[in-house]
Amino acid sequence: MRVKTKRAGRLVLLLASTALAPIWGMQSAIAADTTPAAPATPDSAANEGLMEIVVTAQKRSENLQNVPISLQALGTATLEQHQVQSFDDYAKQLPSVSFQSFGPGQSQLFFRGISSGGDGLPFGALPTSGFYLDEIPVTTIGSLLDVHIYDVARVEALSGPQGTLYGASSLSGTLRIITNKPDTSKFSAGYDVQGTRFDKGSLGGTIEGFVNIPLSDRAAVRIVGFDEHDGGYIDNTYHQRTYQSPHTLDDGTVVNSPITVDNSKFVKKNFNDVDTYGGRVALGIDLDDDWTVTPQVIAQHQRSNGSFLYDPKAGDLQVHDYAPERNIDKWYQAALTVEGKVWDWDVLYSGGYMQRSIDTHADYSYYTVAYDAYPNYGYFTNSMGKQIDPTQYYYGHQDLTKQSHELRFSSPSTNRWRVTAGLFYQEQTNQSQANYYAPGYGSSQQGSPVYEDDIFLTNVHIVDRDYAVFSQASYDILPSVTLTGGVRGFIADNTLTGFSGFASDAAKAGCVTPFPSLNSCSYLNKKFNDSGETHKLNVTWQIDPDRMVYATYSTGYRPGGNNRRAGVEPYGSDTLDNYELGWKTSWFDQKLRFNGAVYYEEWNNLQYALVALNSGSVTNIYNAGDARVYGVETDITWAVTRSLTLSASGAFNDARLATDFCAIGANSNPDCASGIIAAPKGTRLPVQPRIKFNTTARYEFLLGEVDSFVQGSLNHQTSTRSFLGTTADELVGDSPGFTTVDISMGGKIGNTSAEFYVQNLFDDRGGLTRNTFSAPEISGQYARIYPTKPRLFGVKFGQKF
C-alpha cells in the first residue's frame, strides 16, 4: 500500500537528517555495530585499472571497449554518485543529448542536434530518438516517459542512427534504461531515504527500496518500490490584466469593452511540486540450463503541479498564471523476455504492452492576450448580456497504448561469421483530446452548437503500425579486422481519424454527440503508408587488446504521418545518413580510458512543424528540406591514483540547414515560389548547444574505518537557438550558455552509507530551453524559460543487505 506523500515526506526528512552525523563522524555513529568492518578499498579507482563495463547495445553482451559505435554508458555507481532520479538528471550527463521540456513527463529527446524544434505534439511527428526499457521500445508520440531511476544497472546512450537493430524513430540515436534482473544466487535487499530542500523553494524527500528473493535454485523475484516528493521553486504571483475586447456593433463600428481580471485565486508560492510513486516486479525462471523466462511489470504515477517554466518579465522564478495547472502521467508496462538456445544459437523473444494516460491542465491566457487586438475574438457575453472573462484555458487528455514483439536469433559470438537476425512488429495508439476553452463561453453562444465551453477542440484517434525484418552480420577478415553489415526492411501503416477545428464546426460535422468517443464523426479519416530499408556498413580494426578504431556508414529513418487539419496532405518519412570515425582506447594498464568519434550527418527531407496562421493557427508537419551536422563527441576516465578518479565527456555539434525552408502558402503547403523564407540555408538547428561537456573529480579515502569520498562536478553548455523559423526565433530569443557546479561528500561503513550534496552550488539560472505554449508566431513575445534547477541541498542515507 502506498505511503501517503505528506507522511512519507515527514519520515524522509526525519531519517535523512541523521545522515549529516555519519558524514562528519561515522565512527561514533556506527559504534554499536558488532560486525567488524572489512578494510576499505575504493572500488572506482583500484590499482588493477578501471572496471569493465558490459553493455548490450548491439543486442549481445559485450565489453563497452569492444563495441564499434559511439556509446556512453552510465552505470549503477555513476547514477548513484550523481543522485540521478529523473530524465533531467541523467540528460545533463550525456553531452550528445539535448531536450525540450515543459516539465516532468513532458520532454522530447534529441541526439547530435537532430531537432527541428517542433516535436512533442500528441498528434504530431514521431520522435527522432528511440527510447527502450530493457528490450522493449517505449517510444511514443508526444512526450518521453520520465522513468524514475532506482535499482537500474545502467543508462545507455547510443548516438547516431540505430535503424538496423532498433528501427523506426532511432533516427538520431537510442536511449536505453537497463534494470537489474532477478538473481537466483543470493538474497539481497536495500533501501535509501533522502531529504532535499531548494534554496529558493520548498522541501522534498524520497523513499526507495528493493528486495531480491531466490525462490529456488532456478527462480527468483525482484521487487522495487519508490515514493518521491519534489519540492517546488516557482511562484505564481498576483497580477491584473485588462483585455480591450474590441468588437463590432450592428452598424459596423468597432468599439472596445475593456474588462479587468486578476489571478488571485491561483496565487501560490513554490507551486510546481511533484509527487511520483511506483515500482516494478520481475520474476526470473531458469527452465533449464539453456532457457530463461523473465516476466516483468513496471508501473508509475506522477503528478506535477504548476508551471516549470518561469516568465522573466514577471521576475526570477515567477509567473503570472490565470488557470489551474497540473500534469498527471500514469503508465504501466507488462513485458516478457524469453532467452534460450537452439543448437548453439541464442534465441530471444521480447514482447511488451504499455498503457499510458496523461491529463494536462494549463494556462493558455497569453493566446487570448495576443489576439486581444482582433475584433470579436475575445468579446463574450452570457445569456443575460453580461460580458465574461475571455481568458483561455487548456485541457489535454491522452490514452496511449503500445505493444511490440521481437524474435531474434544470434549465432555464437566466437565464430568468425556472426549473425543477428530477427522479426519485429509494433502497434501504438493514441486517443488524444485537446480542449481550448474559456469558462462560460458555451452559455455566451446563446444556443449555438458548441461542446461545453470549447472555442477550439481536437479529438483524434491515431494508430501507428510498424513491421520489420532485420539482419546484421560480422566477419573477421583478419584476426584484428572485422567487417559488419546490416539491413532492415520496414513497412509503416499510420491512420488518423476524428475531428480538429473550431467547436462551432464540430456539430456541423456530427462530431459533438457522442463526445469524446467521436464514433459517429468522419470529419478526418486519413491514412499514410510507407515502406523502405535502412542499412549500415562498419569496418573495425582492433589494433591491440586495448585500442580499437572503426569507420561506419549508417542510415536511419522516421516514418511519416498524417496532419490533423482537413485538406493538408500527409508528410513523408525523413532519413539520416551518418559518416563516422571512432576510437575506443585504454592506456597505462587500463587506468585511462579515452573514447570518441567524429561524424558528418545529412538529414534528408526533414519533418518540420509550421503554423498556418490563415487557418486557425493550426500546427502542421511538412517535409521542408535538408540539414547537415558536423560533430565530435568524446569521453575520458582516468584513475589517477588509487584514490583519485577524473572523468570528462563532451560534444561539439554544428547543426545547420542545408537548404532554404519556405513559408506556408495559400494552399497550406510550403510555397517556395512566393520567395518568402521561413528559415534560410545555414540557420542553426534549435535546442542543441554547439558545445556541451561535463567533468567530475572524485577522491576516495579511508577515514578511520569509513570509506569516505568528496566529489565535484561541473556542467557547461553554450547558447542554444530556440526555434528554427526566423520570425519565431526573433520573437522568442536564444538561450544563453551557462555553467553549473555540483558537490557531494559522504562515506560508507559496512552496509551503511550516507552523503550530503549540493546541486547547482552557485545557483546559476541557466535556461535549458525557451518555450511558448501556443505557436511562437502568435505568443512568442511571452516566451518562458525552462531553467536548470535552482540550488538544491540534499542528504541521503541507505543500507544494503
Side-chain angles (χ1 to χ4, degrees):
M1 183 175 71
R2 185 198 170 204
V3 179
K4 296 296 183 181
T5 302
K6 291 184 178 179
R7 180 181 173 189
R10 290 193 294 267
L11 178 60
V12 167
L13 294 175
L14 176 62
L15 293 175
S17 64
T18 64
L20 285 172
I23 289 173
W24 303 110
M26 190 175 288
Q27 285 176 293
S28 59
I30 320 231
D33 186 354
T34 58
T35 304
T41 303
D43 57 5
S44 66
N47 283 339
E48 303 82 50
L50 298 168
M51 292 186 295
E52 178 181 291
I53 301 174
V54 177
V55 297
T56 53
Q58 295 197 117
K59 311 257 176 139
R60 296 174 181 269
S61 293
E62 301 173 282
N63 183 348
L64 170 70
Q65 295 303 100
N66 297 331
V67 181
I69 63 174
S70 185
L71 165 65
Q72 188 173 357
L74 307 178
T76 302
T78 300
L79 296 171
E80 292 179 350
Q81 290 166 8
H82 292 277
Q83 301 88 40
V84 171
Q85 290 187 312
S86 66
F87 170 73
D88 284 26
D89 295 332
Y90 62 77
K92 73 179 183 181
Q93 304 297 326
L94 303 171
S96 288
V97 165
S98 58
F99 64 97
Q100 289 177 303
S101 184
F102 282 93
Q106 303 175 75
S107 300
Q108 297 85 49
L109 162 73
F110 313 105
F111 281 85
R112 292 181 173 177
I114 301 300
S115 165
S116 62
D119 294 330
L121 292 173
F123 17 73
L126 286 162
T128 63
S129 302
F131 186 47
Y132 277 67
L133 268 175
D134 294 315
E135 293 289 334
I136 311 298
V138 290
T139 316
T140 59
I141 299 172
S143 301
L144 184 82
L145 282 183
D146 195 354
V147 180
H148 181 86
I149 303 299
Y150 179 70
D151 194 44
V152 165
R154 62 189 178 278
V155 173
E156 295 181 0
L158 288 62
S159 298
Q162 307 295 324
T164 304
L165 291 179
Y166 291 95
S169 289
S170 289
L171 179 78
S172 67
T174 298
L175 188 72
R176 306 177 70 219
I177 295 177
I178 312 299
T179 61
N180 286 323
K181 302 300 184 291
D183 182 3
T184 61
S185 66
K186 62 179 180 179
F187 171 88
S188 60
Y191 69 89
D192 290 284
V193 293
Q194 290 188 66
T196 59
R197 171 70 187 252
F198 285 109
D199 186 33
K200 298 180 179 179
S202 55
L203 294 167
T206 306
I207 299 176
E208 304 164 309
F210 79 93
V211 60
N212 181 89
I213 306 172
L215 303 177
S216 70
D217 59 351
R218 289 191 177 275
V221 63
R222 194 175 191 96
I223 303 171
V224 178
F226 55 87
D227 192 335
E228 176 185 3
H229 174 73
D230 296 324
Y233 49 84
I234 291 179
D235 301 334
N236 190 21
T237 55
Y238 180 78
H239 186 253
Q240 283 188 337
R241 173 184 292 155
T242 299
Y243 298 108
Q244 296 304 314
S245 303
H247 58 100
T248 306
L249 301 179
D250 291 340
D251 63 1
T253 305
V254 176
V255 298
N256 291 338
S257 294
I259 180 172
T260 299
V261 299
D262 66 58
N263 67 340
S264 57
K265 63 181 178 180
F266 301 114
V267 169
K268 188 175 181 181
K269 189 175 179 63
N270 303 323
F271 79 141
N272 64 321
D273 57 341
V274 187
D275 286 294
T276 307
Y277 65 90
R280 73 175 187 269
V281 179
L283 178 64
I285 304 172
D286 296 329
L287 301 178
D288 56 29
D289 292 340
D290 291 331
W291 288 89
T292 299
V293 177
T294 308
Q296 177 173 266
V297 176
I298 306 176
Q300 182 172 296
H301 182 289
Q302 182 179 78
R303 176 183 174 124
S304 56
N305 299 307
S307 173
F308 288 79
L309 288 77
Y310 77 94
D311 183 352
K313 295 180 180 179
D316 183 39
L317 300 179
Q318 295 183 43
V319 295
H320 300 319
D321 281 354
Y322 284 71
E325 293 182 289
R326 61 182 178 273
N327 189 75
I328 301 173
D329 187 355
K330 300 180 290 185
W331 59 271
Y332 79 86
Q333 183 212 46
L336 175 66
T337 303
V338 181
E339 301 175 82
K341 285 186 176 294
V342 175
W343 295 293
D344 57 352
W345 282 57
D346 293 326
V347 180
L348 184 142
Y349 164 79
S350 60
Y353 178 79
M354 181 178 70
Q355 280 195 347
R356 185 182 187 190
S357 172
I358 306 173
D359 278 286
T360 305
H361 295 258
D363 181 289
Y364 203 68
S365 63
Y366 280 117
Y367 190 91
T368 310
V369 172
Y371 271 81
D372 187 43
Y374 295 89
N376 306 313
Y377 180 82
Y379 178 73
F380 309 138
T381 58
N382 60 21
S383 58
M384 302 298 293
K386 182 180 179 181
Q387 186 177 356
I388 64 172
D389 182 355
T391 298
Q392 280 197 41
Y393 294 13
Y394 169 82
Y395 168 71
H397 177 77
Q398 297 179 67
D399 284 319
L400 302 105
T401 69
K402 181 161 188 166
Q403 63 168 307
S404 65
H405 306 273
E406 180 170 305
L407 180 63
R408 189 168 74 236
F409 301 87
S410 300
S411 64
S413 59
T414 56
N415 290 356
R416 189 174 185 181
W417 274 102
R418 298 176 296 281
V419 178
T420 296
L423 303 171
F424 176 81
Y425 168 75
Q426 73 173 7
E427 176 185 284
Q428 51 186 330
T429 69
N430 188 0
Q431 179 69 50
S432 182
Q433 177 182 344
N435 303 81
Y436 303 85
Y437 66 100
Y441 174 76
S443 64
S444 77
Q445 302 307 295
Q446 300 177 8
S448 297
V450 299
Y451 176 68
E452 295 185 348
D453 293 325
D454 281 348
I455 298 172
F456 192 94
L457 65 93
T458 295
N459 197 320
V460 296
H461 184 65
I462 299 171
V463 180
D464 294 338
R465 296 182 178 91
D466 297 281
Y467 310 81
V469 56
F470 62 91
S471 178
Q472 180 168 296
S474 298
Y475 176 66
D476 296 332
I477 302 172
L478 298 171
S480 60
V481 179
T482 300
L483 177 66
T484 300
V487 65
R488 187 185 189 99
F490 66 88
I491 297 173
D493 179 10
N494 302 336
T495 63
L496 181 150
T497 57
F499 177 84
S500 182
F502 288 101
S504 56
D505 295 328
K508 299 175 186 178
C511 296
V512 171
T513 305
F515 198 93
S517 67
L518 294 178
N519 54 14
S520 65
C521 176
S522 58
Y523 184 78
L524 295 175
N525 189 4
K526 295 189 171 188
K527 296 182 179 180
F528 173 80
N529 302 100
D530 194 16
S531 62
E533 59 81 30
T534 184
H535 50 272
K536 172 182 178 179
L537 184 65
N538 170 275
V539 178
T540 302
W541 178 25
Q542 192 72 46
I543 301 172
D544 58 38
D546 293 332
R547 282 163 280 275
M548 175 260 282
V549 294
Y550 67 87
T552 297
Y553 164 64
S554 57
T555 64
Y557 74 98
R558 172 174 55 163
N562 300 288
N563 281 300
R564 60 186 164 118
R565 184 177 168 229
V568 179
E569 295 297 315
Y571 52 94
S573 302
D574 51 2
T575 62
L576 190 75
D577 292 288
N578 175 60
Y579 306 87
E580 182 174 321
L581 296 173
W583 61 92
K584 299 285 181 72
T585 64
S586 298
W587 304 84
F588 311 124
D589 295 326
Q590 299 188 2
K591 290 185 175 61
L592 186 147
R593 183 183 296 138
F594 176 43
N595 301 335
V598 296
Y599 45 88
Y600 169 69
E601 297 186 334
E602 295 177 343
W603 190 7
N604 310 301
N605 211 30
L606 70 90
Q607 298 168 12
Y608 178 41
L610 281 173
V611 176
L613 296 175
N614 60 344
S615 59
S617 303
V618 176
T619 301
N620 297 312
I621 314 297
Y622 305 93
N623 295 105
D626 303 328
R628 57 85 182 147
V629 181
Y630 296 100
V632 181
E633 53 199 11
T634 184
D635 65 88
I636 184 170
T637 304
W638 183 19
V640 182
T641 67
R642 184 184 182 90
S643 299
L644 177 63
T645 303
L646 304 178
S647 60
S649 59
F652 167 83
N653 285 283
D654 183 18
R656 298 180 182 272
L657 294 184
T659 59
D660 290 339
F661 280 15
C662 304
I664 295 294
N667 64 349
S668 298
N669 285 299
D671 180 14
C672 295
S674 68
I676 301 175
I677 303 300
K681 177 181 177 180
T683 300
R684 281 182 61 191
L685 298 187
V687 184
Q688 177 75 40
R690 285 170 62 91
I691 297 174
K692 179 183 177 183
F693 67 84
N694 59 74
T695 62
T696 296
R698 184 177 178 88
Y699 185 72
E700 299 182 348
F701 56 98
L702 199 59
L703 183 63
E705 296 181 344
V706 181
D707 289 336
S708 305
F709 76 89
V710 292
Q711 176 176 294
S713 298
L714 181 146
N715 300 276
H716 174 78
Q717 70 176 53
T718 57
S719 65
T720 59
R721 186 179 178 91
S722 298
F723 288 89
L724 184 56
T726 301
T727 300
D729 195 67
E730 288 176 350
L731 286 168
V732 174
D734 293 346
S735 295
F738 63 86
T739 302
T740 61
V741 174
D742 303 335
I743 61 169
S744 59
M745 61 185 70
K748 176 181 178 182
I749 185 168
N751 64 354
T752 302
S753 63
E755 67 177 295
F756 168 75
Y757 59 89
V758 183
Q759 296 179 354
N760 196 359
L761 176 65
F762 301 108
D763 199 28
D764 191 293
R765 195 69 68 244
L768 293 165
T769 55
R770 295 192 175 202
N771 295 337
T772 59
F773 197 83
S774 62
E777 291 85 353
I778 300 167
S779 55
Q781 60 183 310
Y782 310 112
R784 295 185 175 186
I785 298 171
Y786 184 73
T788 57
K789 294 177 183 178
R791 181 162 47 230
L792 175 71
F793 298 94
V795 289
K796 182 177 181 180
F797 177 85
Q799 288 186 307
K800 288 185 171 60
F801 309 98

